[in-house]
Amino acid sequence: MSNTKALPQAETAGQGMAPCCPPLTERPFTAQEAEIAAPMFKALGDPVRLRLFSAVASHEGGEACVCDIADVGVSQPTVSHHLKKLKEAGLLTSERRGTWVYYRVEPSVFAAMGKLLTAPPHAA
């Protein structure tokens, strides 16, 4: 059993899910906000996981079969391990269809990541 937590999100009327934390440029995170956001950054801190996440995110149709993204230079069991870690961090969801598993990045994840990394406009 893993102790990683998914990035908590709250329902926002008509806008899907809202991220848990303010933009990094708005103010320093509280200890609790850092505990919530850290698993996402930790999961993406591994080069293989980042490649897998990128492969799913950029795949046609917004989802990818594990059979289409497994060529990242590591064995299939290692790919499965990394995909599991991305799911545990709340970055991917999956659905089994027959013998294959399809992965997708939920739009709320992109919204949460985008909000966290939003920089204020530069003064002219």
Side-chain angles (χ1 to χ4, degrees), residues 5 20-22 27-39:
K5 298 179 243 174
C20 72
C21 308
R27 63 172 170 75
F29 278 179
T30 65
Q32 181 181 14
E33 289 167 340
E35 287 289 328
I36 291 168

Side-chain angles (χ1 to χ4, degrees), residues 44-66:
L44 292 174
D46 181 281
V48 172
R49 288 184 201 145
L50 187 56
R51 288 184 66 202
L52 288 167
F53 182 79
S54 173
V56 172
S58 64
H59 203 270
E60 185 178 333
E63 70 176 7
C65 174
V66 69

Side-chain angles (χ1 to χ4, degrees), residues 51-108:
R51 288 184 66 202
L52 288 167
F53 182 79
S54 173
V56 172
S58 64
H59 203 270
E60 185 178 333
E63 70 176 7
C65 174
V66 69
C67 59
D68 294 329
I69 60 170
D71 188 19
V72 291
V74 295
S75 68
Q76 180 57 48
T78 303
V79 168
S80 295
H81 166 76
H82 286 301
L83 289 168
K84 178 182 175 187
K85 292 297 184 183
L86 290 167
K87 281 183 61 177
E88 288 173 349
L91 298 172
L92 294 180
T93 61
S94 67
E95 178 184 348
R96 180 172 291 283
R97 297 181 198 153
T99 59
W100 297 110
V101 178
Y102 288 78
Y103 291 88
R104 79 182 57 77
V105 179
E106 291 295 331
S108 60

